[in-house]
Amino acid sequence: MVLKNRLKGLEKVAILMIALGPEISSDILKRMPDNMIESITYEIANRTQITSEQRREVLNEFMDMTLAQDYITEGGLDYARNILTKALGSKKAKTIIDTVSEITQQRRPFAIARKADPQQLFNTISKEHPQTIALILCYLQPDKAATVISGLPEEMQNEVAYRIATMNRTSPMVIKQVETVLEKKLSTIIGNEFATIGGVKTLVDILNSVDRGTEKNIIEELEKEQPDLAEQVREGMFVFEDVVLLDSASIQRILREVDTKDLALALKGSSEDVANTIYKNQSKRASETLREDIEFMGPVRLVEVEQAQQKIVGIIRRLDESGEIIIARGGEDAIVL
């Protein structure tokens, strides 16, 4: 049920504190800034009554936000979005994810660096140690991080990329030291707890936004020094669902290489958008046959679907590397030909 008069943020906090009881609420309040404590206690003191509907709405929203944060911590933003969409519906899930994401971004270190002009940021940090640059890039938007790493000398690109991919957890002391170096120019915000940053996913996001030359150089050097790591990065560079980003000519070229059985298996576990993209690039007869194959296939194991999708991704990568198709990247390769 939707309340006729929507509650504001401070009202929700006051109702939550009252609902949680004095013992828990007092423990929460003492961890807050003085000005916030004053505002909340004033709101509590001036709230004469709480309806059961208000109490239920606030507690439910609190639980949804807590679960969303747990899901994000456990498996990332996409994982949280998928779980919440199944449980709460797409509209409510989006509202919760947007709110939690906004709060998370406000708490992240280097918030001002995320707002800074990419070129100014490059000028500020390009002479720093590779580990320092890697740490900062892990907190930036992928496109902004791509601008910075693309401007570095090739040897430095490789070193920074390796450190991003192998970075896991960084203590607040290290973050504070890095922020202190940049404090005068960026006025960065200090984090108070261990942060899980970096890793292959972060490097993949950055490489997906850099120009092809930078990407190729980094991948080739990683392959020489860390072949297993290079393969992990390659596997993340293009996923089956990204087929929707390709143009018709590229998709039709890819389909000429794909086994029909693999295609049916791959689409069995794909989204409707991906399936429709494939159907649109087939003849009417071929698409009808493919739909029938999928329909009569029956239940299949997830591992079989993933293997089929990975085979097709391998074909796409091979065609991209040979120049027969071009997957969009940042910079000059922003158009798929």
Side-chain angles (χ1 to χ4, degrees):
M1 181 181 294
V2 180
L3 297 180
K4 293 180 180 179
N5 297 313
R6 299 300 301 176
L7 295 168
K8 297 180 180 179
L10 200 57
E11 293 175 315
K12 292 180 182 179
V13 175
I15 292 172
L16 178 63
M17 293 296 181
I18 294 171
L20 292 176
E23 186 174 343
I24 296 176
S25 296
S26 61
D27 188 51
I28 295 173
L29 282 171
K30 69 184 181 183
R31 302 169 190 269
M32 294 181 173
D34 290 343
N35 62 333
M36 189 175 291
I37 293 174
E38 292 175 6
S39 300
I40 294 171
T41 52
Y42 178 82
E43 185 66 33
I44 292 173
N46 284 275
R47 183 157 291 277
T48 57
Q49 63 178 8
I50 301 174
T51 67
S52 59
E53 189 178 357
Q54 289 174 327
R55 178 190 177 98
R56 182 169 57 252
E57 180 193 359
V58 170
L59 286 174
N60 286 341
E61 183 175 342
F62 175 71
M63 286 301 299
D64 289 341
M65 298 282 284
T66 303
L67 283 173
Q69 187 61 62
D70 287 345
Y71 292 146
I72 290 173
T73 301
E74 179 182 348
L77 204 59
D78 289 338
Y79 173 79
R81 184 180 292 107
N82 289 337
I83 294 292
L84 291 174
T85 298
K86 291 178 181 177
L88 306 173
S90 58
K91 186 175 182 180
K92 188 172 183 182
K94 183 181 185 304
T95 300
I96 293 171
I97 289 293
D98 288 349
T99 303
V100 173
S101 297
E102 184 178 349
I103 293 171
T104 301
Q105 293 300 328
Q106 290 173 352
R107 291 175 180 172
R108 292 185 72 185
F110 303 104
I112 294 180
R114 291 175 61 82
K115 298 177 182 178
D117 175 77
Q119 189 59 49
Q120 290 179 335
L121 189 59
F122 171 80
N123 294 338
T124 302
I125 70 174
S126 60
K127 302 299 182 183
E128 298 291 337
H129 188 277
Q131 184 68 20
T132 301
I133 298 174
L135 176 64
I136 296 170
L137 295 191
C138 285
Y139 283 102
L140 298 182
Q141 304 93 325
D143 59 338
K144 187 169 293 184
T147 299
V148 174
I149 201 170
S150 296
L152 298 172
E154 287 191 0
E155 289 185 5
M156 180 75 84
Q157 288 178 357
N158 302 327
E159 183 69 18
V160 171
Y162 172 74
R163 290 172 183 271
I164 291 173
T166 56
M167 193 179 299
N168 185 15
R169 294 175 66 83
T170 302
S171 73
M173 181 179 295
V174 173
I175 294 175
K176 184 174 181 179
Q177 289 172 346
V178 175
E179 288 182 330
T180 299
V181 173
L182 302 176
E183 189 176 30
K184 293 180 181 179
K185 293 183 179 180
L186 299 177
S187 301
T188 50
I189 301 173
I190 299 173
N192 293 315
E193 59 185 62
F194 279 82
T196 301
I197 59 173
V200 173
K201 175 65 166 61
T202 300
L203 179 57
V204 166
D205 287 341
I206 293 173
L207 292 182
N208 277 330
S209 296
V210 301
D211 61 90
R212 186 169 299 279
T214 300
E215 174 201 318
K216 183 178 179 182
N217 172 61
I218 289 175
I219 293 292
E220 287 179 350
E221 288 302 315
L222 276 178
E223 197 142 43
K224 293 176 186 176
E225 303 295 330
Q226 299 285 334
D228 291 342
L229 180 60
E231 182 57 28
Q232 291 180 50
V233 173
R234 283 184 183 278
E235 288 177 357
M237 289 299 294
F238 188 95
V239 296
F240 183 69
E241 287 72 18
D242 292 335
V243 166
V244 298
L245 303 177
L246 301 176
D247 69 327
S248 295
S250 296
I251 294 172
Q252 290 163 21
R253 176 65 186 88
I254 292 162
L255 290 177
R256 293 203 295 271
E257 300 281 329
V258 176
D259 182 90
T260 304
K261 183 179 178 181
D262 287 335
L263 184 58
L265 267 173
L267 292 182
K268 183 75 173 178
S270 71
S271 69
E272 188 176 343
D273 286 343
V274 173
N276 288 336
T277 298
I278 297 298
Y279 297 145
K280 284 191 301 184
N281 286 282
Q282 292 181 307
S283 66
K284 183 178 180 181
R285 182 178 178 182
S287 64
E288 288 175 352
T289 301
L290 182 57
R291 290 174 194 268
E292 290 174 0
D293 289 344
I294 295 171
E295 183 179 351
F296 292 111
M297 187 179 293
V300 294
R301 293 186 301 167
L302 179 60
V303 65
E304 293 177 341
V305 172
E306 292 175 343
Q307 287 172 351
Q309 291 180 348
Q310 197 56 41
K311 280 184 184 179
I312 296 173
V313 168
I315 292 171
I316 293 172
R317 265 198 222 111
R318 174 168 57 80
L319 293 174
D320 178 46
E321 289 171 2
S322 67
E324 294 187 61
I325 65 171
I326 297 178
I327 300 172
R329 293 287 188 269
E332 295 179 357
D333 292 329
I335 300 175
V336 178
L337 301 176

